[in-house]
């Protein structure tokens, strides 16, 4: 197949491109910068969808990027010495980063969906990656693809708007949404920020540690996306999480064991809130138990269904 991948230069996009190429597919990336095997978002808007058999969108500003917010604080917000008011973390998040998080997801998704709708020969499959933030955090509830959600905070509403932006009229193109958990893999994703303190023996659970930690190995997320592109019977929502659930404390213990280090020093919730602000901190301090019921029912077979084996492969 000829597959168009929006936002394909990042961590997930690189893994997906490698797998698609290994399976004999031809990949064209949509990115901000031109280059071999790429088109830009401006070119897509001006010239429409290039000829392709399937399209995927992975584009989106990294929500849990504390450095990005700090840089904007220095550049954009006046201090009291400059005659302005010093903002709180929450105001900065609300006024700047939320717009970028929304825009980077909704605008690219709408652009691709519009291009698919207008294409003389639309692709056979259209796959969007969103997130399990759709489901409300809970210590007791268990969510599958049919569970309600999407209407209780900024992030759940974001997923609702994001998925709505991707919907196409008619049924000429098969549509799939993959709600991803925390992606774990070498060289990027969440694990990249965790390894150093854990290697130093300073790792541990975040907050109480009782919250669920919906996770997936990068190889399996790329595998689910490829499965969704290749298998004509796959449609609708799939949960992009591993079939074995874990709490944050269990994740910390398992990562420590994989590294041969103790992992008992908790990261207090107050520190997490200070770094990310209260609203974003929810993504780390609260979690959901998410089950990939429909993903398994489609016939996808996980390479890393268990957390221990997944982490050992990553840190080896």
């Amino acid at each position: 197949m000829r597959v168009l991948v929006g936002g394909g230069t990042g961590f997930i996009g690189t893994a997906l491109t490698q797998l698609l190429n290994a399976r004999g597919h031809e990949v064209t990336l949509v990115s901000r910068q031109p280059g071999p095997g790429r088109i830009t978002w401006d070119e897509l808007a001006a010239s429409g969808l290039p000829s392709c058999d399937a399209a995927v969108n992975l584009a989106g500003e990294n929500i849990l990027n504390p450095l990005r917010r700090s840089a904007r604080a220095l550049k954009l917000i006046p201090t009291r010495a400059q005659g302005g008011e010093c903002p709180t973390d929450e105001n900065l998040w609300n006024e700047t980063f939320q717009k970028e998080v929304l825009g980077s997801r909704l605008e690219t998704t709408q652009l691709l969906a519009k291009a698919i709708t207008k294409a003389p020969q639309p692709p056979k499959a259209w796959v969007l990656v969103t997130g399990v933030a759709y489901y409300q955090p809970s210590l007791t509830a268990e969510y599958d693809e049919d569970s309600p959600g999407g209407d209780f905070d900024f992030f759940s509403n974001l997923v609702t708007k994001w998925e709505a932006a991707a919907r196409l009229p008619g049924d000429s193109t098969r549509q799939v949404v993959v709600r991803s958990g925390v992606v774990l893999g070498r060289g990027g994703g969440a694990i990249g920020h965790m390894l150093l303190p854990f290697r130093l023996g300073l790792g541990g659970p975040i907050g109480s540690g009782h919250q669920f930690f919906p996770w997936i190995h990068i190889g399996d997320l790329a595998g689910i996306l490829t499965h969704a592109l290749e298998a004509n019977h796959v449609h609708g929502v799939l949960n992009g999480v591993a079939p074995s659930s874990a709490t944050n404390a269990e994740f910390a213990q398992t990562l420590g064991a994989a590294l041969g280090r103790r992992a008992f020093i908790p990261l207090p919730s107050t520190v997490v809130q200070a770094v990310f602000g209260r609203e974003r901190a929810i993504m780390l301090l609260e979690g959901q138990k998410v089950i990939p019921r429909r993903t398994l029912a489609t016939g996808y077979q996980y390479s890393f269904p268990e957390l221990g084996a997944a982490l050992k492969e990553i840190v080896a």
Side-chain angles (χ1 to χ4, degrees):
M1 292 188 297
R2 295 162 299 172
V3 182
L4 186 71
V5 180
T9 58
F11 178 54
I12 299 171
T14 299
L16 176 60
T17 298
Q18 291 173 348
L19 180 57
L20 289 172
N21 286 335
R23 294 180 65 84
H25 303 304
E26 177 185 328
V27 178
T28 299
L29 305 181
V30 189
S31 67
R32 290 188 294 269
Q33 301 297 326
R38 300 185 187 185
I39 64 169
T40 66
W41 290 103
D42 289 340
E43 289 171 340
L44 179 68
S47 303
L49 196 76
S51 180
C52 61
D53 301 300
V56 183
N57 193 25
L58 306 171
E61 173 69 34
N62 180 8
I63 293 174
L64 293 175
N65 183 352
L67 300 179
R68 182 67 182 274
R69 187 180 60 172
S70 298
R72 289 193 162 272
L74 294 172
K75 291 180 180 179
L76 300 180
I77 307 298
T79 65
R80 286 193 177 93
Q82 297 169 320
E85 287 295 321
C86 288
T88 65
D89 281 349
E90 289 300 302
N91 288 337
L92 185 56
W93 158 245
N94 289 337
E95 293 174 9
T96 61
F97 207 68
Q98 282 189 5
K99 292 180 180 179
E100 292 197 23
V101 166
L102 277 167
S104 62
R105 287 159 172 76
L106 301 187
E107 290 172 12
T108 58
T109 301
Q110 289 167 345
L111 182 56
L112 273 166
K114 183 178 179 181
I116 291 170
T117 301
K118 290 186 173 182
Q121 292 185 320
K124 298 176 182 177
W126 162 226
V127 180
L128 175 71
V129 178
T130 63
V132 296
Y134 178 85
Y135 308 110
Q136 188 165 8
S138 173
L139 295 176
T140 57
E142 182 175 290
Y143 301 105
D144 65 15
E145 290 87 349
D146 294 324
S147 298
D151 60 358
F152 58 89
D153 66 2
F154 171 81
F155 296 109
S156 63
N157 278 283
L158 166 61
V159 176
T160 296
K161 294 174 182 176
W162 197 359
E163 294 178 1
R167 291 193 192 104
L168 307 176
D171 56 4
S172 58
T173 297
R174 185 169 50 83
Q175 302 175 55
V176 182
V177 170
V178 177
R179 292 178 183 151
S180 173
V182 178
V183 184
L184 306 176
R186 297 185 189 183
I191 205 78
H193 302 292
M194 301 177 187
L195 282 181
L196 180 58
F198 273 85
R199 288 189 190 279
L200 294 174
L202 301 175
I206 297 175
S208 71
H210 298 310
Q211 70 272 30
F212 283 102
F213 185 82
W215 66 277
I216 187 167
H217 189 283
I218 182 64
D220 277 319
L221 183 57
I224 291 170
L225 294 173
T226 300
H227 178 62
L229 291 168
E230 294 177 342
N232 292 330
H233 68 281
V234 178
H235 61 87
V237 176
L238 304 179
N239 283 334
V241 296
S244 61
S245 59
T247 65
N248 186 271
E250 289 168 342
F251 170 80
Q253 292 169 359
T254 307
L255 178 55
L259 292 167
R261 298 288 190 273
R262 300 179 70 182
F264 61 90
I265 302 175
L267 181 62
S269 58
T270 52
V271 174
V272 179
Q273 290 171 349
V275 172
F276 293 102
R278 285 189 298 273
E279 193 162 20
R280 286 195 295 172
I282 290 172
M283 300 186 71
L284 298 173
L285 297 173
E286 302 180 18
Q288 312 90 335
K289 185 177 183 180
V290 182
I291 305 300
R293 181 186 57 79
R294 189 178 293 160
T295 305
L296 291 166
T298 67
Y300 179 73
Q301 296 183 353
Y302 283 79
S303 298
F304 296 96
E306 300 295 333
L307 182 59
L311 291 175
K312 286 180 181 177
E313 188 277 337
I314 292 166
V315 303

